[in-house]
Amino acid sequence: MAFPSPVRSARSMAWRRRRTAFADAWSVFRHNKQALAGAIILLVAVVIALLSPLLVPPDAIDPASATGPTFAPPSLAYPLGTDNFGRSVLALVVVGTRVSLLVGIAATVGAILFGATIGIVAGYYGGGPIDRFLSTLIDWFLVIPWLVLAIVLAAILGPTLLNVIVVIAVTSWAMAARIVRSQALSVREQPYVERARALGASDAAIMVHHILPNVFPVIFAQAVLTVAIAILSETTLSILGLGDPSSISWGHIIEDAFNGGAMVNGYWWWLLPPGICIVLVTLAFTMCGYAFEEILDPRLRGLEKTG
Amino acid sequence: MRLRYVARKVGWSLLTLLFVLSANFFLFRILPGDPLALLARSQRLAPSALAKQRAIFGLDQPLPSQFVTYLHETLTGNLGVSIISGQDVASLVASRIWPTVLLVGIGTGLAAVIGVLVGIRGGWNRGSGFDRGTLYGSLVLYSAPEAWLGMLLLIAFAGTLGWFPAGGYSSGTTTGLGQVADVANHLVLPVVTLALGYVGQFVIVMRSSMLEVKEAPYVEVARAKGLSERAVRRGHVVPNAFLPSFTLIVLSVGFILGGAIVIETVFSWPGLGLLTYQAIQDQDYPVLEAVFLLSSAAVVLANLVADLAYGYLDPRIDEV
């Protein structure tokens, strides 16, 4: 019988610590009903998004080859009715899952990469001229009305899917940057950071090896919350006609319904399903994000349970 | 309040405005092609209008002096002319301010009052049925796109039930008191949409600061003095918990225009938001530029007011 070696490498100790922390986090998450419901909704949405090419044949959503009656209310053949081209709204909503999630997640990745980098650098050089400059930049982007900036950028860049992603990322990185900065400020004061510096670690090495792992949980929670905002932003841009006209997202379906006279003629089945999807997925991301914040900040734990 | 605090806040606001002006200048000049070519495409532009636009661009000058020209023209009120109509942008924008202020003012006011009252009650009775119901309700409303909410209200109350007009500012057939009633009738659905879209955040902010203040030592002292629960809530918890909500309300006033764009579009409400939507459709860049400038200035101003008011209401703040 082999005993575990009493001497462990720093790396294996770090991983053991992370595993315990992860198990703790999971047990908090598991007991949070809202977060669990949110996670299930997200899982279903992701599966639908991945399977959508199999679930819906491309010609079913091609305006030129759709065969259904136009503006038909829900029936057995078309459970959610049809749109102006005779396409099944159910098929549109299934296909829309893909673009809505893609835009939401891709924009978030961009926003978080940029925001976290700015936040870590600003926090690490806290109080110095670099921090003052970056903090002012963060404050500016927090102050400028995001929708108007997004409109201006989208109008200038032109309506492609990539541009929509870029525009949303540009208008939503600042919140993450501010939160990561304040976290990095406190990590910077930890003794081990000073020790690393005394051992001759460069600024970049300290930021990557010491600050980043410690602010990573905050970044993650913030990222989950940002996806919710990004999906709502995509919807708003689409409704204003600034989305990519050739890719079907939930917001795009709402825009089509708006321009196709859904309101005047009472085509509620065209309008209701994509909006409900947006509400569900946004809510799910928000719930999960709150749960992660709760895991990170034990003071928040049990806030909703105790009376 | 210390003078230094005020000076710092005012200075920051001015710097921010300068940033907005520069962003405006550079964003609209990285547009592909000659900015004047866009204007020349429009047949309706009078030579005088073209000259006005040319004055802002100052295209024959090097970039730094173009920027100075632009700053000078903007600050003296020349915002250029609309590419589509040839109208002076400054007066075009000015004519659209009132409907937006009316709509967003009433809508935000309603959302703030209801949200704060609900938040007070929910936070005070944490975990009660009322608290749970309103908290989930707020989260759902917060997750719903406002434009979509507006469209649903339109289908239900303008289309199916026919209680309210489907859009616009007035029917234009009445005068005097009748006209006021007519405009009010047109206002109901957009105001309700706006209030529904914004009420959630007020509930959540007020509720969570109630929870925080409720546990403060001075609240315990107030109870120990023998004050009734009602007196503790009214005299000690609510006034202290209100500060974050107050900031949020002032900032919302600054975001007045951003909030109006989608709702005005859905209800064809002829304010700045609808103007923005039309400018997007027409690629009317001078109008977009003016909207960006005006809305940013509004937010910067609201921020300044919030900061100064905060400094006054919470004297601890200017010591940092």
Side-chain angles (χ1 to χ4, degrees), chain A residues 192-218:
Chain A
Y192 56 79
V193 171
E194 201 162 326
R195 231 166 324 182
R197 200 177 294 130
L199 289 171
S202 68
D203 285 356
I206 294 174
M207 280 188 253
V208 172
H209 295 299
H210 299 284
I211 312 270
L212 178 62
N214 282 289
V215 298
F216 188 77
V218 179

Side-chain angles (χ1 to χ4, degrees), chain A residues 232-246:
Chain A
L232 285 178
S233 308
E234 192 274 337
T235 309
T236 303
L237 289 178
S238 286
I239 289 172
L240 292 175
L242 291 165
D244 179 0
S246 61

